[in-house]
Amino acid sequence: MFIFAVAVVFKLLTIQFIQGDKYKALATKRVVKNVVIPANRGNVYSVNGNLLATSIPKYDIRFDAITPSAKTFEKYVRPLCDSLSKYTGKSASQLEKRLRRARANKNRYYLLARNIGYSDYIRLRNFPMLELGAYKGGLIVEQTTKREHPMGGIAERTIGYERIDEKGNVTRPGIDGAFGIRYLRGVDGQRKKQQIGKGQWKPLSDANEIEPKDGYDVYTTIDVNIQDIAHHALLEQLEKYKADHGCVVVMETKTGEIRAISNLGRNLNGQYYERLNYAVGESHESGSTFKLMALAAAFEDKVADTSDVVDTEKGVLTFYGKKVRDSKHGGYGKITVSKAFEVSSNTGIVKVIDRAYSKNPEKFVDRLYSMSLNKNLDLPIIGEPEPIIPDPRIKNKRWSGIALQWMAYGYGVSFTPLQTLTFYNAVANNGVMVKPRFLKEVKEFDKVVESFESKVVNERICSKETVGKLQTLLKDVVEKEHGTGHRLYSENFSMAGKTGTCQKDYKNKEKLNYISSFAGYFPAENPKYSCIVVIHEPDKGVGYYGADVSGPVFKSVAQKIFTDTPIIDEVESLGVESVAVEKDYEAFYKTAQTYKTIMPDVVGMPVMDAVVLLENMQVDVKVELDGSGIVKGQSVHKDTKLKNSQTVVLKAS
């Protein structure tokens, strides 16, 4: 017995002094752990300060039924249940039974409310007993954050998000995902929690061990007014043509700032939503929008000019048994290169490129490279593919005997809508290619942490002479009656651009479909914005040509930005003269110069114009007004000689 007692004492001393630290650490590890408190993610704003994405705090309120003393529990349980009854609408007596059962079962983690907002959290923590806090009242508060988009589904894919699943895999689409790590995420805090059985954990105190640091706020280049215009114009056309998906991008010409980017795809129910970021991540054959790049190369190498004549040969050319056809049966006959572009003649453009480069296709490819068409845009948003340009020097099975001819009218090459738009924007910007930009600045409250400036990708894609020719071609596509984009023409507002209709899945006739596009800029004389619209797989029974499907979206966006955008400085900065206003002014000026002492006909003129006209004549005339608005009648007949101090009464309504 003595030996046994000595052994027990020896073992106790060993555990206490030799192995004590080990077992203490193990015990602590099993019952206490550090829990990460996510930092509040920074907000994402539009360029004009509208909230695009924000983190909303959400709270779970739980009750430790063992912590309150018996006296405290009995004193406050009924008032607490009365308050909970008013909040939840449940019976106070039923709630009291549940709380008493939780205390009897020694439940230290009883759920009172889940996923509530801040105002409800403040209300609940002031309920009887809970207001005593964690140690006396058994209050347990757990906070999480939820990312919300105040604009709903508009630009949701571009605004993006950052999600981490249970396995640690991260999904980061859009602006939120691209700039999450560097700016938005913040620094997480830590809090100790104690295990209370059944896999449940309870905070050790109300205070956090390490407070989280909130992320910075990001101000994007998105303009919510233009974004709204682009979204609804695209949606209307997708629904009209029952298309599979489409996108529209609006870029500021000088800076490359993206003012709007909408990507809509159709779900199984036929409804459209921001399914994928097609503008950034979907590369496809360009079709006729690439004809601008092809002619840019030919003009720059001086192997072709706008006035050169090409024979479209009844609308059909054959290369190695493969045919190139024009959309117009019988072709266009002998036409100039400029007209071939304006009517989008496949045979005309192909003949120009074949005639100039068939013996040296590397020269054509090198010219495309010099215009930075082979490089991606190095965007912060994840998912941009590399452009595809067949090159006879690269052995990747993309080059063939017909590769050059097919490239001329947009087949075999592949670009994303944003890559195509960047080239068209460079033409609008007099040859200066700027990188598309999504971020304006980063702020911590009102303090600017970092600002972002425009970045030039290529200082001059081609000579000023070539740019001038390209600008004229794009303008004539819309303005000339034979141009494929003429139905977009408006005498009050100028636009320039190119239609595109590209076959999709053409190797399988059963799956044959179309991609309709329109790329250009506006106003044509002093471009403020460039824009591209791409719509995939419109219903062939309704229509599929770029001018019909994508063109109207471009026109709607352009005109509404110009006329409807309530931001005054944006409208004024367009610097476009209104034809209607100019005509009114010319009529007014002509009248003012003609009638110096003779009464003019002012019926139909605005009252203020009529008053100014009469008061600035060479005779002293007194003008009396009866009403306001437009002049409907005048007391002195027109062509009557006026006298000094004569009174003229104008009736208006």
Side-chain angles (χ1 to χ4, degrees):
M1 291 294 292
F2 175 76
I3 294 172
F4 179 75
V6 170
V8 170
V9 171
F10 176 77
K11 189 63 176 177
L12 289 173
L13 292 173
T14 301
I15 294 173
Q16 180 71 25
F17 297 105
I18 298 175
Q19 299 176 320
D21 292 339
K22 174 185 174 182
Y23 287 113
K24 284 178 183 178
L26 185 61
T28 303
K29 183 179 179 181
R30 288 183 175 179
V31 297
V32 177
K33 70 176 180 180
N34 282 322
V35 178
V36 173
I37 304 170
N40 285 327
R41 198 173 182 84
N43 294 330
V44 179
Y45 292 94
S46 70
V47 71
N48 32 23
N50 299 93
L51 193 61
L52 301 179
T54 186
S55 292
I56 304 296
K58 296 293 182 180
Y59 302 87
D60 288 349
I61 305 298
R62 296 179 181 273
F63 178 58
D64 183 347
I66 302 302
T67 295
S69 65
K71 182 179 179 181
T72 300
F73 184 83
E74 292 300 331
K75 180 180 178 180
Y76 291 110
V77 66
R78 185 65 188 181
L80 172 59
C81 292
D82 289 339
S83 297
L84 288 171
S85 177
K86 292 177 182 178
Y87 175 75
T88 63
K90 297 178 181 178
S91 167
S93 59
Q94 287 294 325
L95 290 170
E96 184 177 351
K97 285 181 181 179
R98 293 176 184 176
L99 289 184
R100 290 188 178 279
R101 189 182 304 119
R103 187 172 175 85
N105 293 336
K106 297 182 179 181
N107 190 334
R108 308 194 67 179
Y109 207 59
Y110 183 77
L111 180 66
L112 295 179
R114 184 190 297 277
N115 202 32
I116 61 175
Y118 182 76
S119 58
D120 285 340
Y121 156 66
I122 295 298
R123 180 182 173 187
L124 261 71
R125 74 171 298 148
N126 286 310
F127 281 179
M129 190 149 51
L130 300 182
E131 64 182 351
L132 299 177
Y135 294 116
K136 293 183 179 180
L139 173 65
I140 300 173
V141 179
E142 293 186 319
Q143 178 183 336
T144 57
T145 56
K146 182 180 180 183
R147 202 67 168 165
E148 292 190 357
H149 293 174
M151 289 180 64
I154 296 179
E156 186 175 23
R157 196 74 189 181
T158 300
I159 296 168
Y161 54 84
E162 183 178 49
R163 292 176 186 164
I164 303 175
D165 63 18
E166 295 177 353
K167 297 180 180 179
N169 298 317
V170 184
T171 307
R172 297 191 183 100
I175 294 169
D176 204 317
F179 302 105
I181 296 175
R182 188 171 180 183
Y183 301 117
L184 292 165
R185 186 183 289 178
V187 180
D188 293 338
Q190 285 188 351
R191 186 181 195 180
K192 289 189 180 296
K193 283 190 175 184
Q194 182 179 24
Q195 191 174 25
I196 56 176
K198 297 182 180 179
Q200 296 176 334
W201 295 82
K202 168 190 169 183
L204 284 177
S205 67
D206 272 345
N208 294 328
E209 296 289 327
I210 301 175
E211 290 291 338
K213 181 182 178 182
D214 294 346
Y216 295 131
D217 293 332
V218 164
Y219 284 75
T220 71
T221 60
I222 299 293
D223 184 312
V224 293
N225 299 295
I226 298 176
Q227 180 69 44
D228 186 65
I229 290 169
H231 174 89
H232 287 96
L234 177 64
L235 177 61
E236 180 181 356
Q237 205 71 349
L238 289 173
E239 291 176 339
K240 178 180 178 180
Y241 283 89
K242 304 174 186 176
D244 182 73
H245 65 276
C247 66
V248 55
V249 185
V250 180
M251 180 193 296
E252 192 171 80
T253 304
K254 300 296 181 185
T255 64
E257 294 183 357
I258 301 298
R259 290 289 179 245
I261 175 168
S262 183
N263 300 276
L264 296 175
R266 186 172 56 186
N267 62 17
L268 295 176
N269 297 323
Q271 297 174 324
Y272 293 95
Y273 69 108
E274 288 266 340
R275 190 168 72 187
L276 293 170
N277 198 334
Y278 303 110
V280 171
E282 184 178 44
S283 185
H284 56 82
E285 290 179 306
S286 303
S288 293
T289 54
F290 187 78
K291 290 173 182 175
L292 186 73
M293 292 80 151
L295 287 185
F299 294 161
E300 191 67 5
D301 287 334
K302 300 187 183 303
V303 294
D305 204 350
T306 55
S307 58
D308 293 349
V309 176
V310 291
D311 188 355
T312 60
E313 298 187 17
K314 298 183 180 181
V316 181
L317 295 177
T318 304
F319 298 92
Y320 295 97
K322 300 290 184 179
K323 296 185 183 298
V324 177
R325 299 179 185 274
D326 277 333
S327 59
K328 180 184 177 182
H329 183 71
Y332 299 91
K334 293 182 179 181
I335 55 176
T336 62
V337 171
S338 59
K339 186 172 182 180
F341 184 83
E342 291 152 14
V343 299
S344 200
S345 168
N346 295 332
T347 58
I349 302 300
V350 168
K351 202 161 192 180
V352 170
I353 301 303
D354 177 66
R355 189 167 60 190
Y357 296 104
S358 60
K359 295 181 180 179
N360 188 10
E362 293 87 351
K363 184 178 180 181
F364 179 68
V365 174
D366 286 340
R367 179 57 66 185
L368 297 179
Y369 288 174
S370 73
M371 295 187 289
S372 302
L373 288 170
N374 60 320
K375 301 175 183 177
N376 68 20
L377 300 171
D378 191 26
L379 300 174
I381 294 180
I382 297 169
E384 183 195 10
E386 294 281 344
I388 295 175
I389 298 178
D391 189 327
R393 295 160 294 193
I394 300 175
K395 306 302 180 183
N396 55 10
K397 297 183 180 181
R398 288 192 178 127
W399 191 264
S400 66
I402 59 172
L404 175 68
Q405 293 76 17
W406 258 241
M407 288 170 65
Y409 70 119
Y411 287 90
V413 294
S414 185
F415 303 93
T416 68
L418 193 53
Q419 289 165 352
T420 299
L421 177 62
T422 301
F423 182 85
Y424 274 75
N425 189 78
V427 174
N429 199 24
N430 296 318
V432 181
M433 181 180 284
V434 291
K435 180 179 178 179
R437 186 155 57 91
F438 294 89
L439 235 58
K440 190 79 172 178
E441 58 188 7
V442 177
K443 287 186 176 181
E444 184 178 22
F445 300 107
D446 292 332
K447 178 185 175 184
V448 177
V449 175
E450 188 172 352
S451 294
F452 301 89
E453 303 297 332
S454 298
K455 183 178 180 181
V456 176
V457 176
N458 191 327
E459 293 185 358
R460 187 155 300 283
I461 59 170
C462 53
S463 66
K464 289 184 178 180
E465 182 184 0
T466 297
V467 168
K469 292 176 182 178
L470 299 178
Q471 290 174 342
T472 301
L473 289 178
L474 292 172
K475 187 177 179 181
D476 288 346
V477 166
V478 176
E479 291 190 357
K480 289 193 174 180
E481 290 187 7
H482 59 252
T484 55
H486 184 67
R487 67 190 64 188
L488 309 181
Y489 175 73
S490 170
E491 65 176 9
N492 296 322
F493 184 65
S494 61
M495 295 169 281
K498 180 70 184 77
T499 58
T501 307
C502 177
Q503 290 186 354
K504 183 179 181 180
D505 299 322
Y506 47 82
K507 293 180 180 179
N508 185 340
K509 291 186 177 181
E510 293 182 359
K511 294 182 178 180
L512 177 65
N513 241 306
Y514 291 89
I515 303 171
S516 304
S517 56
F518 191 97
Y521 50 86
F522 56 91
E525 295 78 12
N526 183 25
K528 173 66 176 176
Y529 297 109
S530 60
C531 177
I532 188 168
V533 182
V534 180
I535 294 178
H536 285 250
E537 301 178 25
D539 188 326
K540 295 188 288 290
V542 183
Y544 55 85
Y545 285 111
D548 300 327
V549 182
S550 296
V553 180
F554 181 93
K555 182 177 181 178
S556 179
V557 169
Q559 289 192 323
K560 286 183 178 179
I561 289 174
F562 179 55
T563 59
D564 295 348
T565 303
I567 302 174
I568 296 174
D569 62 344
E570 290 289 313
V571 174
E572 289 181 346
S573 65
L574 289 171
V576 181
E577 295 180 350
S578 169
V579 175
V581 172
E582 285 296 309
K583 286 181 178 178
D584 289 344
Y585 177 76
E586 288 174 5
F588 173 83
Y589 182 79
K590 183 178 180 181
T591 303
Q593 295 299 311
T594 303
Y595 297 93
K596 299 292 185 179
T597 60
I598 298 173
M599 181 67 193
D601 182 7
V602 295
V603 174
M605 292 178 63
V607 166
M608 295 309 297
D609 286 352
V611 170
V612 170
L613 180 65
L614 294 173
E615 289 184 346
N616 284 279
M617 299 182 72
Q618 291 180 356
V619 291
D620 185 14
V621 178
K622 295 181 180 179
V623 182
E624 293 184 1
L625 298 177
D626 181 7
S628 60
I630 304 298
V631 178
K632 298 297 183 182
Q634 56 191 59
S635 62
V636 179
H637 294 292
K638 69 174 182 176
D639 298 330
T640 302
K641 189 171 180 62
L642 295 170
K643 301 176 182 179
N644 283 326
S645 302
Q646 185 172 356
T647 299
V648 177
V649 180
L650 301 179
K651 292 184 178 181
S653 61

